[in-house]
Amino acid sequence: MFKINENYLKLPGSYLFFTIGKKVKEYSQAHPEKQIIRLGIGDVTQPLAPAIIEAMHGAVDEMGNAETFRGYAPDLGYEFLRNAISRNDYKARGCGISADEIFISDGAKCDSGNIQEIFSVDNRIAVCDPVYPVYVDTNVMAGRTGVYDGKTETWSDVIYMPCLAENDFLPELPKETPDLIYLCFPNNPTGSALKREQLQEWVDYANKVGAVIIYDAAYEAYISQEDVPHSIYECAGAKHCAIELHSFSKNAGFTGVRLGYTVIPKELECDGVTLHSLWARRHGTKYNGAPYIVQRAGEAVYSEAGKEQLKQQVAYYMKNARYILDGLREAGYTVSGGVNAPYIWLKAPKGMTSWEFFDYLLENANVVGTPGSGFGPSGETYFRLTAFGSYENTVEAVERIKAL
Ligand SMILES: *Cc1c(COP(=O)(O)O)cnc(C)c1O
């Protein structure tokens, strides 16, 4: 008789977006005349930039011609894309990451979930609280997290790093020593960002204790402040302790197109075995590459026209972020984020819990956000609004909240 992977049974239900959807549906059925504005789910809304569409059309035509048709992509991705990434995302910033340290994939969610496979199940992970749930849940599936305590909503073998107002929503070095440290900056959900010298402390710490940092840079394109690093490899020593994950979803609107990449420097090794060789082996065995058409679209992100168009796209969302930040501040809310990230993190007023504020906002302003408690216990009493809506809807939502 077969047995299942019982680790899956340990996972607590993920009711966050399901419950939000259910509540919104019930409300709109009871009040069909109300126009609901959704600033909840972290998905982009602007169409793909013209330079990207043009590149995709060109690649589609190539696929329809025997001379230029492409089948399986190279295991680790096409050279043209890996070279463009190495040049633009790294060498232009003074980081010596070469094309052969870059692995092309279909997005950062898969990579952030799969990367734990190349590490021992004995390793202890450390995560921020609140956190992007993928990091924890994939380690639960692998059997690395111990026992779940429903009361505290924590796992016995996970090291949590609370990110609260008193530490500017940034993690502090943990008291217990982790083996794997997941960091995502600029952060989803809080919108906070680490400055270069703060990230350097993490790199120094990881090198000192022999830990690996898994650095999720999905929101790198939203950085507006000079002293916030775009890559962990801007820090000295990071090539010996850090893996970096990138996505084309938030900087270029590829949430439905699917493209990302992972960087593993060749220096990163354990007892003479490079993590690069393990991930290359895994990639070659379990993955057959992102589509050619999509990799050509990714290359266009780095063209002169693509860069200019995407700068405007990011600026469009960040104008929304500014509007939400200023408007809520004026209305007396305690808000943060929104400067280096498309997320605004606010404290629920009048002692409300995250879900109480969710209901209050839905019923009184017809605005949907995300309850902070859905990202971890330290998110309780907080609330996330995203800048990914249209400008008109964002303005309307803020006016409604101000009028409450
Ligand atoms: C959106 C997001 C990603 C990107 O995921 P894709 O699979 O590339 O779309 C990765 N990490 C975080 C924290 C995110 O919010």
Side-chain angles (χ1 to χ4, degrees):
M1 173 71 183
F2 69 89
K3 289 192 177 133
I4 56 162
N5 176 352
E6 292 196 354
N7 292 322
Y8 278 65
L9 304 182
K10 300 180 194 162
L11 287 164
S14 172
Y15 298 119
L16 180 63
F17 290 105
F18 173 78
T19 309
I20 292 173
K22 189 162 156 262
K23 279 176 178 269
V24 172
K25 194 169 156 207
E26 280 167 8
Y27 182 82
S28 65
Q29 276 169 355
H31 306 272
E33 75 289 356
K34 300 281 191 195
Q35 195 224 334
I36 293 169
I37 299 179
R38 289 177 169 80
L39 300 181
I41 294 174
D43 196 357
V44 295
T45 54
Q46 291 289 297
L48 293 173
I52 292 164
I53 292 294
E54 197 185 320
M56 289 177 94
H57 278 302
V60 167
D61 288 341
E62 284 182 69
M63 295 299 265
N65 185 324
E67 270 90 75
T68 49
F69 168 79
R70 314 274 182 133
Y72 289 124
D75 269 1
L76 309 187
Y78 281 103
E79 283 293 318
F80 61 77
L81 180 56
R82 298 163 83 205
N83 285 332
I85 292 168
S86 165
R87 230 178 12 252
N88 289 278
D89 287 346
Y90 294 104
K91 294 197 172 136
R93 295 189 176 121
C95 309
I97 296 294
S98 59
D100 65 356
E101 293 171 306
I102 296 163
F103 299 77
I104 306 299
S105 73
D106 58 2
K109 187 179 193 173
C110 309
D111 284 354
S112 66
N114 291 329
I115 195 74
Q116 48 78 27
E117 271 187 48
I118 62 170
F119 296 97
S120 161
V121 279
D122 297 336
N123 284 332
R124 282 200 76 185
I125 69 161
V127 294
C128 292
D129 170 25
V131 69
Y132 181 61
V134 177
Y135 313 148
V136 178
D137 289 358
T138 52
N139 278 288
V140 174
M141 293 168 178
R144 206 176 272 116
T145 55
V147 180
Y148 187 68
D149 178 346
K151 229 171 35 238
T152 57
E153 296 174 39
T154 55
W155 295 90
S156 58
D157 290 353
V158 174
I159 299 167
Y160 291 90
M161 305 181 289
C163 297
L164 298 161
E166 48 268 34
N167 49 24
D168 290 327
F169 303 103
L170 297 174
E172 286 168 10
L173 297 178
K175 289 186 187 74
E176 296 170 89
T177 306
D179 303 297
L180 304 176
I181 304 166
Y182 288 83
L183 295 178
C184 170
F185 289 98
N187 189 257
N188 176 15
T190 69
S192 65
L194 280 174
K195 296 199 160 65
R196 199 169 285 107
E197 68 266 18
Q198 292 172 317
L199 185 56
Q200 183 68 57
E201 283 176 31
W202 282 95
V203 169
D204 293 343
Y205 170 76
N207 277 323
K208 193 179 88 190
V209 303
V212 170
I213 297 174
I214 297 164
Y215 194 71
D216 185 341
Y219 296 96
E220 167 275 311
Y222 292 84
I223 292 170
S224 69
Q225 292 177 318
E226 268 302 308
D227 51 357
V228 174
H230 288 255
S231 163
I232 196 167
Y233 305 114
E234 290 178 41
C235 297
K239 285 170 122 189
H240 292 275
C241 67
I243 291 173
E244 187 163 279
L245 312 173
H246 271 255
S247 166
F248 288 72
S249 287
K250 313 302 167 29
N251 65 324
F254 278 39
T255 52
V257 177
R258 311 305 308 143
L259 192 65
Y261 68 85
T262 288
V263 176
I264 308 190
K266 296 224 168 120
E267 287 91 331
L268 189 41
E269 55 174 56
C270 174
D271 294 334
V273 179
T274 66
L275 295 186
H276 185 282
S277 67
L278 299 187
W279 190 242
R281 187 62 209 261
R282 189 220 172 259
H283 227 57
T285 302
K286 291 197 180 183
Y287 187 60
N288 249 339
Y292 174 69
I293 297 162
V294 173
Q295 294 197 47
R296 279 291 180 204
E299 182 188 29
V301 166
Y302 300 100
S303 68
E304 283 314 309
K307 281 189 214 170
E308 186 49 41
Q309 290 160 10
L310 292 173
K311 210 163 91 186
Q312 285 173 29
Q313 206 170 78
V314 166
Y316 177 92
Y317 292 131
M318 289 312 274
K319 188 174 159 199
N320 293 347
R322 182 87 247 167
Y323 200 91
I324 299 172
L325 262 187
D326 290 347
L328 293 187
R329 254 187 209 131
E330 254 175 67
Y333 286 86
T334 305
V335 284
S336 61
V339 175
N340 296 297
Y343 296 119
I344 287 88
W345 191 241
L346 59 121
K347 177 90 179 163
K350 305 187 186 102
M352 281 187 248
T353 66
S354 297
W355 277 110
E356 283 166 354
F357 186 65
F358 176 90
D359 292 333
Y360 172 80
L361 212 58
L362 176 61
E363 283 158 26
N364 297 289
N366 307 143
V367 171
V368 180
T370 312
S373 54
F375 299 100
S378 294
E380 181 58 287
T381 75
Y382 285 91
F383 201 74
R384 189 190 76 175
L385 290 175
T386 87
F388 286 133
S390 71
Y391 181 69
E392 295 71 24
N393 277 348
T394 302
V395 169
E396 171 69 18
V398 170
E399 295 316 311
R400 289 187 199 167
I401 295 172
K402 280 163 94 172
L404 287 174

